[in-house]
Amino acid sequence: MKTTRLQTPRRPVKKPSNNLKDPVGVYCRVRPLTSEDTECCVELISNTTIQLHPPDGIKVNRNGEFKEMQYSFKEVFGAFTTQKELFNVVARPLVEDLIHGKNGLLFTYGVTGSGKTHTMTGSPGDGGLLPRCLDMIFCSIGPFQAKRFVFKPDDKNTMEVQGDVDALLERQKRDAQSSTIPKSLSSKHKMDPEFADMITVPEHCKAERVDEDSVYSLFVSYIEIYNNYLYDLLEEIPHDPIKPKPPQSKILREDSNHNMYVSGCTEVEVKSTEEAFEVFWKGQKKRRIANTTLNRESSRSHSVFIIKLAQAPLDADGDNVLQAKDQTVVSQLSLVDLAGSERIYRTKAEGSRLREAGNINQSLMTLRTCIEVLRENQMYGTNKMVPYRDSKLTHLFKNYFDGEGKVRMIVCVNPKADDYEETLLVMRFAEMTQEVEVARPVDKPICGLTPGRRYRNQAFKEELARKLELRGGPMYGEDSSTAEALLQSFASLPSVEITDPNDEQTLPRLIECLEQRYKIRQMAAEEMKKTVNAIRGMIHDWDSKFAAKDNYIQDQQEKLLEKDRFLNGQKAETERLEKKVKTLEYKIEILQKTANIYEEDKRALQQELEERDQKLHRELSDKRRLEQRMQGVMTDTKMKWEKECERRVQAKQLEMQNKLWVKDEKLKQLKAIVAEARTERAEKPERTPRENDKKVRVHVRSASPPSVPFPGNSLASQPISQNCQVSRPQLHRRSNSCSTISVASCISEWEQKTPEWNRNASALSKNKRRLLETPQVRDSNFQERRQGVNKLGSGKVNGYRREGGVDQDGPQRNAPPVRLRHRRSRSAGGERWVDHKPVGSVETDTVLQPHIPNAITVAVPNEKALAKCDKYILTHQELASDGEIETKLIKGEVYKTRGGGQAVQFTDIEKLKQEAPGSTRKRRSSQSAPPQQEETTESEWTDVETRCSVAVEMKAGSNFGPGYQHHAQPKRRKP
Ligand code: ADP
Ligand code: MG
């Protein structure tokens, strides 16, 4: 017997031969609530949808982040779902696939306590998916199982088919071993009572279309992934009671077909459900022991139970296992019970345990990431690297996702409120996993042998045995019926009866006949052989043709599918692009609208700008026009005022000339009188000075000033000659009526035109108070001033002041009134005032009212009143430039003249006037337009003190009256 090594047929890894894909089937199983838990946060909406209700406490804590969320799966199983129901829906198709040579992966995912193990392994009396899978497999392949050790896995993840002898030898060896140790595996009665009820399945199920022309063998391995280490749970470690060896971790390897496998992992060939489950149970026990001794938590490890099914076709006779290459098929189903998906804090881990927990979660995280990347690559056509290698778990399952096979996941949910948050994460992962697609595995390739070989061979053998029994022995190993049929076709044998001992004809004839028959038979056999060969060859040809056709058809179908897919891809791309176009069109529309709005805004703003520009231009031109107009007005006004000034100056000059002429006239008259008097005195020297005085007074009276045109008065332009002709009564009347023709005003106006005089005058005013106190000095100053005036030669003389005296001739008379001698003592009765209020004085509206106690009020001052008083006050009113009445109280002192008359010297002016606040300063400032120097001079000159240094002299009995009143200089008006 020969041994042939057969490799597991190469399965396409990177590019599956079939381009059909199926999404990962995700099922959800909700376990029943325990009696301790009352609040249920999962509700089954339909057989595909569940809804999560956030428990009461969580809503408040998370600010309403958790909403009522619904999750849909391929199917949802409620609390009352039986293991059988679940198996039929989820695991059964995977077993079918396994038997048909296709791979499958089934894993349970969920929080600890959600029923993963219950689902996968089952609970006592209620077997889970694993024992049910095993049961179905053995039910299906039971009659076609190969003898033990016909298939032999090697360390390179390949499966050998051993020859009968090798297999027999190994079997004998195993039997010899098992006889020394308790023989449990093959006997049903000695089955472990621990799990016996878990594998007792009341209704067995069988796979359909099991290839009966093949032999099968099942191998199981059990791996635990803990803390990212792989442990072989079926490894037989010689037990050392003194120093127990810790389990050795295994490594992952890639075989020649790029499939991942656990190197050196024990693969146990099992021939029945009981045997297989016993192996599993052993591993489970080992796991439990390891967890206890190493202080690990089983919920943090992933357990992987791998069922590997090897199948090889029987030969053409249906007698022996075909040892031809490429005919052995190995498929595997991995049943994975994942670690609890809860986060670290839930595991209450500390120290090194925390690291473990971290790794466990890390591997689940990697699984998550791999699924995510896969999904992304598949959905968006990207080519991102899937990080399978980041964890042992994902690395081991790489081929399922990368290659082909069916992947199914059962999400286990515990509906209790405590698990809500974790369940939410589980649900999200599960939903996402559904979007990943895995290539659909292809059907087993046709081996080229006639189907039904095993059955026909069996039937032939049975028939042969029956016939042999009838005949009492085999005929050269040939089929008796065939021989008989053959014999009938030959010519009948000649008679073989020998009556004569010397019959030499019969025997040779028989011999000849027999020889002929033999020849015919030989020929027929040869013919038959030829025919058989020809037919066999034909059948082979047909088979290969069929295979080729089939292959061709499959190829064409594949191409068609590819085209279809391409078309679909194109369609999807077109749709995507159309959508994009629509979106872009919409965007363009919006942008255009926005642009239009901006354009309108721009236009409006430009219009506004233009309007403003125009307005500005208009305003500028208006301003320029106004400026020009104002300049014109200014020049006009200036010219007008210049003319007016000129006119006034001329008028003043005329007036002054007139006055000068009058003075000259008077002087002449005086001279004449003096000359006359001298002559008379020479005649009558005894005449009293009193008489002289009288005489003078008479002349003075006769020398009253002629009518002088008042500045600003219309009379100013009258010819001088007219004024000169003024008669005395006229003069008197005029003097009375025209109170504005005042000596002071005349002087001041005149003086304003003589700056030199002004300077002297201002100097004088400064010294005035002193002069008043020392009469001598004052007199001399007065004289000086007068001389100054005369020196000017302008002819300006105050006629009234000089009344009764000539410069050189009457020094006493010319002297100003002397106060000292005539001053009344205050003790004698205090100051007495002459209150001169001219007729027509109006009451002032001012709050401050002049109140002079002990005064003699007069409308016209008279000698009598003046003689009684030593103070004089004149109420003078005039209209100020601002239209207000200005009341001035001009104060003076009364002196007795040497001649026995009264003289008043003005000393001060008090003013009463109402003004609007703020207006004065403005007006003043406008009045003070001339340079500063000039203003100072003027203000000094217009100062009351200065101006009041002049006085009026009134002789006793004088009747001059108010015509001789002093008046304050009227305010200078602007030219
Ligand atoms: P996990 O493996 O997810 O940590 P288990 O499968 O060990 O959870 O389940 C914990 C407990 O809950 C076990 O005692 C199990 O019998 C029970 N259980 C889980 N799922 C179900 C179910 N669908 N019906 C009845 N009991 C269940
Ligand atoms: Mg478990």
Side-chain angles (χ1 to χ4, degrees):
M1 288 254 177
K2 58 183 178 187
T3 303
T4 320
R5 281 176 64 100
L6 277 179
Q7 277 199 335
T8 314
R10 185 189 173 93
R11 269 175 292 165
V13 174
K14 292 293 164 196
K15 189 181 173 278
S17 56
N18 189 342
N19 283 302
L20 283 178
K21 280 189 170 183
D22 293 311
V24 173
V26 179
Y27 300 83
C28 178
R29 186 186 201 184
V30 184
R31 59 158 289 177
L33 271 180
T34 57
S35 52
E36 299 146 37
D37 300 304
T38 46
E39 200 181 350
C40 176
C41 61
V42 179
E43 186 194 345
L44 265 75
I45 302 290
S46 70
N47 63 343
T48 53
T49 311
I50 61 160
Q51 180 159 356
L52 256 63
H53 302 285
D56 290 338
I58 266 173
K59 271 184 229 168
V60 183
N61 292 347
R62 292 296 175 97
N63 225 348
E65 188 198 312
F66 296 102
K67 285 176 263 169
E68 307 276 314
M69 294 292 287
Q70 287 194 359
Y71 298 91
S72 291
F73 303 100
K74 202 162 179 183
E75 201 164 333
V76 175
F77 301 95
F80 304 107
T81 312
T82 60
Q83 302 278 50
K84 186 173 179 278
E85 281 167 10
L86 188 75
F87 170 78
N88 282 339
V89 177
V90 184
R92 204 178 159 144
L94 292 173
V95 178
E96 293 263 5
D97 274 5
L98 178 81
I99 290 165
H100 295 126
K102 298 168 193 174
N103 294 332
L105 168 68
L106 173 65
F107 57 93
T108 52
Y109 185 85
V111 182
T112 299
S114 60
K116 295 184 299 293
T117 309
H118 174 80
T119 299
M120 194 55 88
T121 312
S123 304
D126 195 10
L129 300 181
L130 191 145
R132 280 167 201 276
C133 284
L134 290 172
D135 185 67
M136 184 180 164
I137 294 166
F138 284 111
C139 277
S140 307
I141 62 161
F144 319 116
Q145 283 196 70
K147 285 189 179 131
R148 217 179 278 272
F149 300 115
V150 170
F151 291 99
K152 197 185 179 203
D154 68 1
D155 197 28
K156 293 186 179 80
N157 202 32
T158 52
M159 199 62 84
E160 285 175 15
V161 177
Q162 290 198 115
D164 289 342
V165 179
D166 290 339
L168 185 69
L169 281 173
E170 283 208 41
R171 275 200 295 276
Q172 282 171 352
K173 197 174 143 194
R174 179 179 178 272
D175 287 343
Q177 276 178 352
S178 58
S179 62
T180 54
I181 53 163
K183 192 181 176 184
S184 60
L185 293 182
S186 57
S187 61
K188 267 188 186 176
H189 354 281
K190 287 182 184 173
M191 196 167 41
D192 196 332
E194 263 185 5
F195 60 83
D197 56 350
M198 280 170 84
I199 54 170
T200 342
V201 182
E203 296 165 57
H204 301 286
C205 55
K206 229 176 125 179
E208 289 163 18
R209 298 182 294 111
V210 181
D211 184 4
E212 295 174 352
D213 295 323
S214 295
V215 284
Y216 301 85
S217 217
L218 200 70
F219 295 85
V220 292
S221 33
Y222 193 16
I223 295 149
E224 184 185 31
I225 305 173
Y226 187 90
N227 204 16
N228 213 26
Y229 285 109
L230 294 160
Y231 297 103
D232 181 4
L233 291 174
L234 304 182
E235 197 175 24
E236 297 278 356
I237 307 163
H239 185 65
D240 187 351
I242 300 154
K243 198 189 168 197
K245 252 173 105 181
Q248 291 294 304
S249 68
K250 301 285 173 191
I251 55 158
L252 274 178
R253 281 230 172 98
E254 195 175 21
D255 68 12
S256 53
N257 293 320
H258 306 287
N259 290 322
M260 298 310 301
Y261 72 100
V262 182
S263 174
C265 172
T266 316
E267 287 176 293
V268 181
E269 187 174 15
V270 285
K271 293 293 168 198
S272 69
T273 310
E274 297 76 33
E275 193 189 344
F277 201 78
E278 175 133 26
V279 171
F280 167 77
W281 203 251
K282 243 171 87 185
Q284 189 80 332
K285 267 187 185 167
K286 210 168 166 185
R287 186 180 166 201
R288 250 177 264 150
I289 292 164
N291 286 340
T292 329
T293 50
L294 299 171
N295 193 23
R296 309 190 304 201
E297 221 174 86
S298 64
S299 70
R300 287 196 223 133
S301 69
H302 314 285
S303 81
V304 185
F305 189 72
I306 300 168
I307 302 167
K308 205 181 240 181
L309 183 70
Q311 49 187 302
L314 289 167
D315 61 7
D317 297 334
D319 221 356
N320 296 314
V321 181
L322 202 71
Q323 293 174 332
K325 270 188 177 180
D326 300 349
Q327 293 303 333
T328 306
V329 176
V330 180
S331 53
Q332 73 174 44
L333 172 65
S334 301
L335 303 174
V336 185
D337 184 359
L338 288 174
S341 71
E342 58 272 359
R343 286 169 285 185
I344 295 170
Y345 74 89
R346 277 268 312 242
T347 65
K348 301 173 197 88
E350 285 166 19
S352 64
R353 280 194 148 201
L354 183 80
R355 195 160 41 85
E356 293 164 8
N359 275 329
I360 288 154
N361 280 284
Q362 189 56 49
S363 63
L364 284 181
M365 278 295 292
T366 312
L367 177 67
R368 233 185 126 99
T369 315
C370 290
I371 297 277
E372 264 172 37
V373 175
L374 264 171
R375 174 172 150 268
E376 208 183 308
N377 283 349
Q378 288 174 3
M379 287 176 88
Y380 308 112
T382 50
N383 199 19
K384 273 193 194 171
M385 201 197 73
V386 186
Y388 295 116
R389 285 163 187 276
D390 286 5
S391 85
K392 293 279 192 298
L393 182 76
T394 49
H395 203 187
L396 185 63
F397 297 142
K398 176 176 172 284
N399 303 117
Y400 287 104
F401 294 102
D402 252 8
E404 51 185 47
K406 214 171 244 169
V407 181
R408 291 195 165 180
M409 176 165 99
I410 298 170
V411 182
C412 295
V413 179
N414 191 342
K416 67 173 180 178
D418 291 354
D419 281 3
Y420 175 75
E421 282 179 54
E422 300 297 341
T423 305
L424 209 66
L425 297 175
V426 170
M427 291 293 126
R428 283 181 194 155
F429 170 66
E431 269 212 325
M432 184 183 65
T433 309
Q434 292 187 101
E435 290 169 5
V436 172
E437 288 186 328
V438 176
R440 188 183 291 175
V442 284
D443 281 328
K444 209 168 56 164
I446 297 156
C447 73
L449 293 170
T450 335
R453 299 181 299 279
R454 185 199 293 267
Y455 177 75
R456 273 195 295 108
N457 202 27
Q458 194 77 30
F460 178 77
K461 273 179 185 166
E462 278 167 13
E463 181 67 19
L464 191 65
R466 196 172 52 82
K467 290 228 165 145
L468 283 176
E469 260 171 43
L470 282 172
R471 288 205 167 202
M475 281 175 72
Y476 312 109
E478 273 197 357
D479 195 318
S480 54
S481 56
T482 323
E484 263 168 44
L486 203 68
L487 282 174
Q488 277 162 11
S489 63
F490 296 140
S492 56
L493 286 171
S495 165
V496 288
E497 209 177 327
I498 301 164
T499 49
D500 187 7
N502 297 317
D503 192 357
E504 285 179 352
Q505 284 183 340
T506 309
L507 277 175
R509 231 185 294 150
L510 185 68
I511 287 164
E512 195 185 337
C513 187
L514 283 174
E515 270 176 355
Q516 257 183 357
R517 277 199 176 192
Y518 182 74
K519 265 183 197 164
I520 291 168
R521 188 181 171 271
Q522 285 286 82
M523 276 163 64
E526 260 172 42
E527 194 75 10
M528 199 181 130
K529 227 178 198 171
K530 266 185 201 164
T531 316
V532 164
N533 277 345
I535 289 170
R536 197 171 266 176
M538 268 164 71
I539 289 170
H540 260 287
D541 273 5
W542 287 339
D543 262 356
S544 57
K545 268 182 196 165
F546 272 132
K549 287 247 168 75
D550 261 358
N551 279 347
Y552 179 74
I553 287 167
Q554 214 170 338
D555 267 11
Q556 290 301 314
Q557 268 175 348
E558 269 173 26
K559 273 180 191 166
L560 211 66
L561 281 172
E562 207 168 321
K563 288 265 158 70
D564 261 0
R565 226 180 13 264
F566 180 73
L567 266 174
N568 282 343
Q570 291 291 316
K571 235 183 240 174
E573 180 67 14
T574 313
E575 268 170 27
R576 198 179 61 80
L577 287 173
E578 268 172 8
K579 259 187 207 169
K580 209 174 167 184
V581 164
K582 263 183 202 163
T583 323
L584 286 174
E585 270 173 3
Y586 180 68
K587 269 186 191 167
I588 287 168
E589 208 176 290
I590 288 171
L591 284 174
Q592 261 173 352
K593 272 182 193 167
T594 321
N596 284 348
I597 291 167
Y598 279 130
E599 202 70 45
E600 266 171 35
D601 277 3
K602 194 185 146 193
R603 241 177 278 138
L605 285 171
Q606 265 177 346
Q607 211 173 324
E608 204 186 316
L609 197 74
E610 273 167 25
E611 272 170 21
R612 284 195 182 177
D613 255 6
Q614 281 172 1
K615 206 174 150 191
L616 199 74
H617 275 293
R618 265 204 309 277
E619 275 173 5
L620 266 171
S621 56
D622 278 1
K623 204 174 142 192
R624 234 174 274 139
R625 264 207 307 281
L626 197 74
E627 246 176 44
Q628 280 170 356
R629 215 165 53 217
M630 289 319 286
Q631 262 176 353
V633 170
M634 236 166 74
T635 356
D636 274 7
T637 321
K638 205 173 152 192
M639 275 166 67
K640 216 167 90 190
W641 277 109
E642 270 172 0
K643 269 183 198 162
E644 178 66 20
C645 286
E646 248 170 57
R647 191 180 59 73
R648 281 187 192 179
V649 166
Q650 276 173 0
K652 207 75 201 173
Q653 272 175 350
L654 275 174
E655 187 197 334
M656 286 304 137
Q657 274 172 2
N658 190 9
K659 276 183 188 171
L660 208 64
W661 181 80
V662 171
K663 301 289 172 208
D664 278 352
E665 274 305 297
K666 272 193 210 167
L667 211 61
K668 272 181 203 163
Q669 280 177 9
L670 273 170
K671 270 183 184 168
I673 290 162
V674 169
E676 199 183 321
R678 270 187 193 152
T679 342
E680 273 175 23
R681 208 187 298 161
E683 287 162 13
K684 297 177 194 174
E686 321 67 13
R687 189 181 276 186
T688 59
R690 178 98 183 157
E691 281 168 345
N692 272 341
D693 271 9
K694 272 182 185 169
K695 201 115 190 172
V696 169
R697 200 180 59 212
V698 171
H699 283 286
V700 165
R701 219 181 281 165
S702 67
S704 13
S707 159
V708 177
F710 174 68
N713 193 316
S714 60
L715 287 170
S717 54
Q718 282 174 3
I720 302 163
S721 56
Q722 261 187 350
N723 293 329
C724 300
Q725 302 301 320
V726 178
S727 62
R728 198 185 155 269
Q730 271 178 329
L731 181 105
H732 201 107
R733 193 171 60 242
R734 188 164 291 240
S735 301
N736 277 336
S737 61
C738 182
S739 64
T740 45
I741 302 173
S742 67
V743 177
S745 68
C746 290
I747 291 166
S748 64
E749 272 179 40
W750 182 254
E751 282 166 350
Q752 275 166 26
K753 291 170 189 167
T754 54
E756 209 176 318
W757 211 91
N758 281 352
R759 279 194 294 278
N760 288 339
S762 81
L764 188 75
S765 87
K766 276 177 196 159
N767 295 324
K768 191 196 133 232
R769 223 168 271 281
R770 229 178 328 127
L771 287 170
L772 283 170
E773 281 156 17
T774 52
Q776 287 84 8
V777 178
R778 192 191 58 212
D779 282 356
S780 68
N781 274 344
F782 190 69
Q783 295 242 347
E784 238 177 67
R785 194 176 115 195
R786 273 174 51 206
Q787 277 163 13
V789 171
N790 287 338
K791 266 182 229 163
L792 284 170
S794 62
K796 158 72 186 123
V797 179
N798 188 326
Y800 307 113
R801 197 160 47 194
R802 290 208 207 146
E803 181 195 19
V806 183
D807 289 354
Q808 296 88 2
D809 305 323
Q812 291 116 328
R813 296 178 72 93
N814 288 338
V818 180
R819 184 169 46 183
L820 273 178
R821 274 184 285 163
H822 308 289
R823 179 117 196 132
R824 286 178 185 88
S825 93
R826 277 168 193 266
S827 58
E831 288 171 337
R832 195 98 196 263
W833 289 83
V834 176
D835 188 3
H836 179 186
K837 272 195 181 139
V839 187
S841 292
V842 291
E843 283 297 310
T844 59
D845 286 340
T846 53
V847 176
L848 295 170
Q849 288 290 334
H851 172 69
I852 310 147
N854 213 10
I856 301 164
T857 309
V858 288
V860 177
N862 49 48
E863 185 92 316
K864 206 174 134 198
L866 283 169
K868 285 179 190 165
C869 302
D870 52 354
K871 294 269 185 181
Y872 171 87
I873 189 159
L874 167 67
T875 306
H876 171 69
Q877 288 181 324
E878 63 186 26
L879 209 63
S881 57
D882 57 359
E884 287 288 333
I885 288 176
E886 190 178 65
T887 305
K888 287 179 181 170
L889 302 172
I890 304 161
K891 297 188 282 181
E893 291 193 7
V894 180
Y895 299 97
K896 284 205 162 40
T897 54
R898 282 197 183 92
Q902 310 294 331
V904 175
Q905 187 174 16
F906 292 117
T907 53
D908 280 314
I909 296 178
E910 284 179 20
K911 286 180 190 175
L912 276 172
K913 196 191 162 209
Q914 292 198 105
E915 273 176 2
S919 62
T920 320
R921 184 152 292 283
K922 209 171 172 184
R923 200 164 286 124
R924 263 196 91 77
S925 72
S926 69
Q927 283 172 350
S928 65
Q932 202 69 38
Q933 178 68 39
E934 201 180 310
E935 188 192 55
T936 320
T937 322
E938 187 191 54
S939 71
E940 272 176 17
W941 171 238
T942 52
D943 190 67
V944 172
E945 286 179 319
T946 316
R947 283 186 283 134
C948 289
S949 304
V950 290
V952 75
E953 187 177 332
M954 194 182 276
K955 280 189 179 166
S958 156
N959 279 328
F960 277 4
Y964 295 90
Q965 289 163 19
H966 279 255
H967 286 276
Q969 167 79 8
K971 271 224 164 111
R972 256 183 84 198
R973 289 193 185 88
K974 268 190 162 184

